[in-house]
Amino acid sequence: MLRASSSLLQGVAFGVGAAATLVAVVLAYTRRRERRELAAVQAAAEKKRAAGEIFDLKARSFSPVADTALGRWREAVQMIRKHVSKKHPQGLDCELVMLGDVRIESVFMFVVAHLSEYAPKAGRRNKMDLGADDGGYQREYNQLLGAQDAILQDIVRSAAGDTISTAFLRAGPRSELHFEPSAVRAAIVTCGGLCPGLNNIIQGIVRTLISLYGAQQVLGVRGGYQGFDEASSPPIELTLDVVDGIQKMGGTFIGSGRGSFDLEKTFQFLKRHSICQLYVVGGDGTHRAADKIAEEAKKRRLNIAVCGVPKTIDNDIDMLDRSFGFDTAVAEAQLAIRSAQVEARCNLPNGIGIVKLMGRSSGMIAVHATLCSGEVDLCLVPEVPVVTDGDRGCLQHLERVLEQKGSAVVVVAEGAGEDVLGTSAIVDAGGNRKLPELGLWLKDQIVAHFKSKGKPATVKYIDPSYMIRSVPANAADSIYTELLAQNVVHGAMAGYTAFSVGMRNNRLVYIPIGAMVKNSPRQMDPHGQTWERVISVTRQPNTVPPKAKKEPA
């Protein structure tokens, strides 16, 4: 069925151009009615065309207008038919409404640097190399991507929204290789704190380089950036046999470390081992150093691809849907929350369990663990002010919870409470400042508060911080890390550099490192839906100040 809609869609889709300027229609895929009604509309339009008029679908009447609307409308019908038949071969038993006021007119892609700007390329055709065990058998990839294959960054649209969007370069194998695979010598370094899935990343990169591309050698740099100084820790050669089974282990097979970045020693290492691809796995600080390596390689006109895989258990790197290891950490946190709930329920009267979770700048783990559990009564995160007393105070809230339930569970992110306890000037080797111990402080405050009320209270404090990051990746993160590992290698082999690979809108993309770290670490929006969901579960008072109203222009 095809009927005229009352609104006009003037959208230009990326890569389609003027053909995507559509007159709004409502399509229902009932074939007979579609053909009948389409024929009726076209016949009416042709009749009026003979009189010098055109069918105006917006007004649902005939008027003398430019002879373009019917042509665009026909194109729209053909385009949507092809789209639906490709995606849904059996058709659709529903109506599709093409929205008249929701449109995209321009798309701007984040530019990912390419080594061909200053270094020669091999220019070899890309095929899957399935290894010597198969007699060097090669096969074509099912899909090879191009320079304008993009994933839109802004997929949420409304009638009052912008008509532009940014986009990322879609990750995946390209038709042409920048490097001769058999000559590739690569190095992998893991930096910063531990995270579930690090060994999966190492294994995935090694397997993709050797099994799919037939790379010559892969080295593992020991203990983070300090490993580029071989006097203290020589690298280890990573072969298929060496990395076999390491995905079942927590931590990182090649070790990690904070700080100790030395640009000159890094380039001495790269030159000594003839490295042409460097894979850096770490957080925003690690990626800032990687960006410096890429910039220096460009200045020296070295044919070295510097590629990143974002790693942060806190899920606070900008532009990503999520970072690997986050799902595993949230799942592991449930064990601590359940223990706290049992302790609180069994220690009568007025049992309270406090669980401290990781989250330096962002309370993502605490928030998602709270939503996942359904048994948390108070969640404190860095993004939301901590209020202890008064109508919105957490102590008064716990009083009410104990009156209703007899026990309570509190989840505290490690970075929460600086607005109450102050900011420390002490920093670690990675430049991270020491955080206040809000959980322990809150425990003392709770005990003192209930004592002043003449009520006994038993408070148990559980800190599983390092337990949730030292475990192997779960199934979801294991799949995610495999996708990240394969696609970062595809990008390097194609000649891209100074990029990191991540998931955006459920698709793998290449993100310029400079753009990714500019606003990292990111924080949860305290005025967003995620925090609304938390307070709907915990029933705690919302201490977020009202959003400032925009002054009228």
Side-chain angles (χ1 to χ4, degrees), residues 95-142:
E95 290 187 339
L96 300 178
V97 179
M98 293 187 176
L99 305 178
D101 296 321
V102 179
R103 62 187 186 275
I104 301 176
E105 294 179 347
S106 302
V107 176
F108 298 88
M109 187 189 291
F110 290 92
V111 177
V112 179
H114 200 278
L115 291 172
S116 62
E117 298 172 14
Y118 55 87
K121 60 181 179 180
R124 175 176 164 174
R125 184 181 174 188
N126 190 6
K127 288 186 178 182
M128 292 178 68
D129 187 344
L130 300 182
D133 291 343
D134 295 309
Y137 174 69
Q138 292 184 331
R139 59 156 291 171
E140 300 286 346
Y141 280 95
N142 289 326

Side-chain angles (χ1 to χ4, degrees), residues 314 356-362 382 413-418 421-428 432-439:
D314 295 340
K356 174 188 174 184
L357 296 176
M358 304 194 84
R360 173 172 291 276
S361 301
S362 169
E414 63 176 333
E418 285 190 329
L421 301 180
T423 304
S424 174
I426 303 173
V427 296
D428 63 17
N432 300 311
R433 67 179 182 275
K434 185 178 179 180
L435 298 172
E437 289 286 353
L438 179 68

Side-chain angles (χ1 to χ4, degrees), residues 169-182:
L169 182 64
R170 187 177 180 185
R174 264 54 190 178
S175 59
E176 186 177 84
L177 299 179
H178 180 84
F179 293 98
E180 176 60 43
S182 61

